[in-house]
Amino acid sequence: MARRVKKFDVIILGAGAAGLMCAARAGQRGLKVAVLEKAEKPGKKILISGGGRCNFTNVDAGPANFLSANPHFAKSALARYTPQDFIELVDRHGIAWHEKTLGQLFCDGSAKQIVQMLLDECPDSVEVICDADVSTVVKDGDDFAVMASGESYTAPALVIATGGPSIPKMGATGFAYDLARQFGLKVVEPRPALVPLTLGGEDVLFRELSGVSAPVRARAGKASFDEAALFTHKGLSGPAILQVSSYWRHGQEVAITFLPQADADWLLDLKRDRPRATVRSALREHLPDRLADALAERLGIERELGNVADKELRAAAAQLADWRFTPSGTEGFAKAEVTIGGISTDELSSRTMEAKKVPGLYAIGEAVDVTGWLGGYNFQWAWASGVACAEAVAG
């Protein structure tokens, strides 16, 4: 005997940050909402974010902090739901938080508080259904029909909020893209972002520095970030590297400035003030010893500075300010925090997140070709796109 079809105003696929935010706001508008989540509990990526404390937004989040084939697409949603709006929500729920560096906001306690807050924001008209593995989605007249784990659901509005393929061990897949293509929407080629870079060739010599971290300026293309870089047994990681990885393309170089605050003549100044110092001892004053020693060996200047020609010291300072690596690749989606690319913004309304060609179909969050910097920006896009969709969706 066929099971009864469950009818809703809105079906949201995915109970992550964007999906839960959208569900809460749509439910508050009086809509009957089903959130179908493949995992056994909602908000799994929220729970692991920020070392379990959830870097839930960034006070400086704005369109300039996002990458997309259309850099203007995110402006509308971000302007209408700001970091301050989310902070007010967090405060209303009594969740204590603190600001770390560069505008990043974290819970004092646990990321579980953010998931619980989103669930508490959902009125009784919202059902969050976990262990719901979607097998088919079709449009039947004005309604979308979804089959998930043997249950049938229908609604005139369907929201794709299943994210991208980053962190597959959390259950992430490219399902959003398959569904988008099924409905004739273009997908911008997805690739790993906020991901460690791998090194090969001569650069593998830096593997001896695995575990060493230092503040640097990292550059790829036109992007530049002043944060920490971490040497790993596979290559380069740390916040500065994760940031530039989003801008890096295969075959390009990544440039590192090891002493971003130093001027071009710092070694000449040191030679004048302390002629018996060495490049190695000078670097050890500013960098971890193992890194200082490795760089000094590569530069090949072991003499006291007083015995080194100015031209040689200028060349050494220039190399330290522009040390080039050519990554062999990245550590892939398994280690990527987010995905660049996704459902093309050309296909969507920037105001409502609705597909232009498929009435009633929406896409939000990481499923869309909008990717933020490291540091709470991607959560802000999840909140903002979720709210934009929720305010527009009609039951």
Side-chain angles (χ1 to χ4, degrees):
M1 183 174 150
R3 295 194 178 190
R4 183 173 62 86
V5 175
K6 299 179 180 181
K7 296 187 176 182
F8 292 86
D9 297 316
V10 187
I11 297 170
I12 298 173
L13 305 181
L20 289 175
M21 186 60 149
C22 184
R25 293 295 282 257
Q28 289 164 15
R29 288 183 53 221
L31 298 176
K32 189 179 180 190
V33 182
V35 186
L36 305 182
E37 170 55 51
K38 183 175 69 170
E40 73 281 2
K41 60 185 178 183
K44 285 184 77 174
K45 274 180 99 169
I46 299 174
L47 294 172
I48 66 164
S49 70
R53 291 195 166 176
C54 188
N55 180 190
F56 57 79
T57 193
N58 192 297
V59 294
D60 300 320
N65 308 114
F66 293 84
L67 293 83
S68 172
N70 176 0
H72 302 290
F73 182 84
K75 288 180 177 177
S76 176
L78 291 170
R80 287 180 290 134
Y81 192 84
T82 66
Q84 192 55 45
D85 291 324
F86 194 78
I87 293 167
E88 288 171 8
L89 177 62
V90 169
D91 287 344
R92 201 158 68 241
H93 283 258
I95 298 172
W97 54 271
H98 60 280
E99 181 176 342
K100 286 178 86 170
T101 57
L102 304 171
Q104 302 169 25
L105 304 190
F106 290 77
C107 297
D108 285 0
S110 166
K112 292 177 184 175
Q113 296 171 285
I114 298 295
V115 176
Q116 193 57 53
M117 175 191 79
L118 293 168
L119 294 172
D120 289 345
E121 281 288 301
C122 291
D124 292 341
S125 62
V126 176
E127 283 187 52
V128 179
I129 303 154
C130 294
D131 291 314
D133 195 1
V134 174
S135 52
T136 59
V137 178
V138 295
K139 191 164 192 195
D140 185 9
D142 291 335
D143 284 355
F144 292 88
V146 178
M147 180 70 76
S149 297
E151 299 286 348
S152 295
Y153 307 85
T154 66
L158 178 72
V159 181
I160 303 172
T162 53
S166 59
I167 319 184
K169 69 181 180 185
M170 302 296 295
T173 68
F175 177 78
Y177 314 145
D178 296 337
L179 196 54
R181 291 187 185 104
Q182 178 188 323
F183 286 101
L185 307 187
K186 294 197 305 269
V187 173
V188 175
E189 181 66 30
R191 56 191 173 88
L194 302 183
V195 63
L197 300 174
T198 56
L199 296 175
E202 291 181 14
D203 294 332
V204 298
L205 295 171
F206 280 90
R207 281 182 189 161
E208 69 208 38
L209 299 175
S210 182
V212 173
S213 175
V216 302
R217 176 173 300 136
R219 302 187 305 286
K222 294 180 180 177
S224 174
F225 293 90
D226 284 31
E227 288 193 67
L230 171 69
F231 288 92
T232 73
H233 67 287
K234 291 184 178 179
L236 293 167
S237 188
I241 301 301
L242 298 183
Q243 295 281 36
V244 297
S245 73
S246 297
Y247 294 84
W248 176 80
R249 300 306 285 258
H250 200 79
Q252 291 180 340
E253 292 180 319
V254 168
I256 303 283
T257 300
F258 280 107
L259 299 172
Q261 309 311 320
D263 65 31
D265 290 333
W266 74 278
L267 281 174
L268 298 184
D269 294 339
L270 190 62
K271 172 183 174 178
R272 186 182 63 247
D273 297 340
R274 290 158 52 196
R276 301 201 62 182
T278 63
V279 170
R280 185 184 299 262
S281 66
L283 289 173
R284 278 184 164 221
E285 291 176 16
H286 302 284
L287 297 169
D289 288 354
R290 284 165 62 201
L291 175 58
D293 291 349
L295 293 174
E297 282 173 29
R298 302 296 166 81
L299 292 169
I301 305 173
E302 298 292 351
R303 309 183 305 285
E304 292 179 352
L305 297 181
N307 297 322
V308 183
D310 288 0
K311 181 180 178 182
E312 202 174 344
L313 291 179
R314 278 200 190 93
Q319 187 170 351
L320 289 165
D322 190 29
W323 204 292
R324 299 297 179 110
F325 298 92
T326 301
S328 54
T330 76
E331 290 196 35
F333 286 117
K335 294 294 176 69
E337 296 201 13
V338 293
T339 306
I340 274 193
I343 298 171
S344 173
T345 56
D346 290 347
E347 305 283 5
L348 307 172
S349 160
S350 63
R351 181 157 188 85
T352 65
M353 303 290 133
E354 186 175 17
K356 297 171 183 176
K357 300 190 285 209
V358 189
L361 180 66
Y362 300 78
I364 57 176
E366 193 186 342
V368 179
D369 175 31
V370 174
T371 306
W373 290 1
L374 182 73
Y377 298 96
N378 287 292
F379 274 126
Q380 187 58 37
W381 170 246
W383 315 136
S385 60
V387 168
C389 174
E391 290 179 349
V393 71

